[in-house]
DNA sequence: TTACATATGTAATAGTATAACATTAGAGGT
DNA sequence: ACCTCTAATGTTATACTATTACATATGTAA
């Protein structure tokens, strides 16, 4: 086995392509771009962009990964309860992305939405920051 | 003058390309894509994508327009005080976009950010909704 | 005027995503 | 097992979005 990633035993209901894309994102933990994923998974049998995009679309739909719109990248979901809602911090200097786990923030957003009588189906929140290491330098 | 848009008298400090792009967005009021803008402004002398992207970049930087990341589109800013912060509702069915003007919402977001000790430089909020006309049908 | 920064013009290319169509694999019912 | 239907795959081509590179022009301030 020359695989560079470890096949997890979960995610059994996924198809082959969906699983290898998800595994890559899971093992990476940071946002990856579609064509990077394609290059990385050539050896696993993914040959065309469409194979990657179809897997990504499905995984987004299942809530297992998120798309970070402003950087055209995909990242594993860090939470269990996002549904299709997303909230990230993005460092403006180094590009580092973190999913916001803070339950209070998410609750606050929900309250906020209720208070403003917005009937939303989902949301995408991108907070641009200077991350700790970038703030020092 | 066969121009399809009216030249506003404001925005005098902008350059020619920046002004005609801004005028188009102003008169449209809805999100436009870069290559649509290019096609629309061929008669005004814009010949290449780069001319459009450069004008758009500058206008975003000046806070006069916003980019809506999830649809690769640009829209005139509806407020006076956005700085580089953005908040939109996007209809999931018809794609209609509205900038959120509600000051309370923006204040709430600021509070929210403070409460969570996020030191942000700016934010981009995308709320997906079903707009009124889509809800009826 | 000179110097410098900013904006333009133009061509080429890089990066992101989908259309179209033929084929295959799985799930459920008979 | 067989049929049927849906979802997923494989493949090629193409559409859409954005930037690099470099030459030229324009505006502003010393
Ligand atoms: Zn998540
Ligand atoms: Zn950073
Ligand atoms: Zn605005
Ligand atoms: Zn609608």
């Amino acid at each position: 086995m020359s695989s560079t990633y470890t096949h997890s035993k979960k995610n059994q209901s996924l198809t082959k392509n969906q699983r290898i894309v998800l595994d890559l994102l899971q093992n990476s933990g940071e946002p990856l771009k579609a064509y990077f994923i394609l290059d990385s998974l050539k050896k696993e049998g993914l040959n065309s962009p469409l194979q990657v995009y179809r897997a990504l679309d499905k995984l987004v739909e299942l809530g297992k990964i998120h798309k970070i719109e402003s950087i055209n990248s995909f990242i594993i979901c860090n939470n269990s309860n996002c549904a299709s809602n997303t909230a990230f911090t993005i460092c403006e200097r180094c590009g580092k992305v973190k999913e916001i786990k803070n339950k209070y923030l998410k609750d606050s957003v929900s309250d906020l939405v209720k208070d403003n009588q917005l009937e939303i189906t989902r949301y995408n929140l991108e907070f641009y920051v200077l991350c700790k290491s970038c703030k020092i330098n």
Side-chain angles (χ1 to χ4, degrees), chain A residues 76-82 86-89 98-107 123:
Chain A
I76 190 80
C77 174
N78 225 340
N79 297 324
S80 51
N81 58 344
C82 288
T86 57
F88 296 101
T89 58
K98 288 177 79 169
E99 183 164 11
I100 296 177
K101 296 181 116 165
N102 197 317
K103 184 174 183 318
Y104 174 67
L105 184 138
K106 294 211 160 192
D107 287 348
Y123 58 74

Side-chain angles (χ1 to χ4, degrees), chain A residues 37-48:
Chain A
I37 293 172
L38 177 57
D39 287 342
S40 303
L41 295 178
K42 283 264 167 68
K43 53 183 170 322
E44 309 292 334
L46 289 200
N47 297 307
S48 82

